[in-house]
Amino acid sequence: MGLGKNKITGETKIPRHIAIIMDGNGRWAKRRFMPRSYGHKQGMERMIGLMERAFALGVDYITVYALSTENLKRPQEELEGLFNLFRNHFKEYMARICARGVRLRAVGDVSLLPDDVQRILRQSEEDTAHFEGKGINVAVAYGSRNEIVHAVNAAVEKGEKVTEESFSRLLYTADSPDPDLIIRTGKEVRLSNFLLYQAAYAELYFTDKMFPDFSDKELDKAIVEFSRRTRRFGKTDEQIEKKK
Ligand code: IPE
Ligand code: IPE
Ligand code: MG
């Protein structure tokens, strides 16, 4: 393996929008004989570090899968631990990132969350609403099927037929471009109800690393791998070459 193989250089194509399925916090903690909540705390801190790295590299949008609609069926004790992270740390951590001019959005059915957690998310959205061009989507109480059904019902209520573009604007992620790169940590090779519509042409990257171990270097590696791939969007290599 050549030295610098996974280094980002001026030639590296940087994805505009990276979405991350932050999986493996629980197993990471279990291996250390620690409670799952400890893994979630470490995961949240790692996420902040990764966001800083990604924005420094020129990424414009980051979507983080923090809690799925299905995760809401986990034991109450684990859920309370997760909500406490939002209560105690979310604002401070996010303020640090958003100070760079990043707009925060909570994407998901936020009404399923406790009232005070909803308020924290809404407040962060309001505080950053004036920023344009860079964004963080925090997917909480998020499920792609729920999102699609919600969008279909919104279209039916309006009584209008949709196009691919107008439908995108009915999704929770309306204001972000489609993800270019979706990273999943934690060894599983599946999407678990994440961005099913938006992921149509995303490059997928799976790693065995548990999320708290997904270092800045690992992120760089994923981006370098993304940069090496040929995105054809259904066309031939010759057509792609001609466009260059
Ligand atoms: C992902 O980590 C974070 C959430 C789903 C909240 P997990 O909690 O799923 O961790 P594992 O998969 O059990 O290791
Ligand atoms: C996906 O992880 C959801 C998040 C990372 C928030 P899960 O741990 O819930 O996924 P499954 O159940 O293994 O598919
Ligand atoms: Mg998991």
Side-chain angles (χ1 to χ4, degrees), residues 32 58 61 65-66 79 133 135 144 167 169 174 184-185 191 203 224:
R32 285 162 180 78
Y61 293 89
Y65 203 7
L79 290 176
S144 197
F167 190 72
R169 287 195 297 275
R184 181 174 188 143
T185 61
L191 289 176
E203 294 298 326
V224 168

Side-chain angles (χ1 to χ4, degrees), residues 104-124:
L104 184 138
R105 299 272 191 169
V107 296
D109 189 352
V110 174
S111 70
L112 299 174
L113 301 172
D115 288 348
D116 58 340
V117 176
Q118 289 185 37
R119 276 197 297 278
I120 290 166
L121 292 167
R122 292 283 166 243
Q123 187 65 52
S124 301

Side-chain angles (χ1 to χ4, degrees), residues 15 19 40 55 58 65 85 125 135 138 176 181 186 193 210 219 222 229 241:
H40 292 313
F55 285 126
Y65 203 7
L85 280 179
E125 288 189 325
V138 182
S176 326
L181 170 63
N193 205 9
M210 297 297 132
L219 175 69
R229 297 203 192 158
E241 274 305 311

Side-chain angles (χ1 to χ4, degrees), residues 24-109:
N25 292 342
R27 280 163 288 161
W28 182 90
K30 197 172 168 192
R31 283 176 195 171
R32 285 162 180 78
F33 307 100
M34 295 296 279
R36 294 179 62 84
S37 58
Y38 178 68
H40 292 313
K41 171 96 196 306
Q42 292 297 310
M44 190 173 193
E45 284 175 10
R46 185 75 288 267
M47 194 64 235
I48 301 304
L50 287 172
M51 285 176 174
E52 282 182 337
R53 175 67 183 160
F55 285 126
L57 289 172
V59 171
D60 289 333
Y61 293 89
I62 300 170
T63 299
V64 195
Y65 203 7
L67 192 73
S68 71
T69 42
E70 289 74 23
N71 291 151
L72 291 169
K73 293 180 205 128
R74 286 195 180 182
Q76 201 51 40
E77 189 192 327
E78 176 162 355
L79 290 176
E80 271 309 307
L82 282 163
F83 297 144
N84 281 337
L85 280 179
F86 279 92
R87 290 176 180 122
N88 301 329
H89 302 286
F90 184 78
K91 255 184 124 164
E92 170 207 328
Y93 284 161
M94 284 302 159
R96 216 166 80 199
I97 302 283
C98 292
R100 300 156 169 265
V102 178
R103 181 171 190 172
L104 184 138
R105 299 272 191 169
V107 296
D109 189 352

Side-chain angles (χ1 to χ4, degrees), residues 163-175 178 197:
T163 63
E164 290 185 11
E165 285 71 32
S166 75
F167 190 72
S168 291
R169 287 195 297 275
L170 295 174
L171 298 172
Y172 295 130
T173 53
D175 296 311
D178 283 344
Y197 188 84

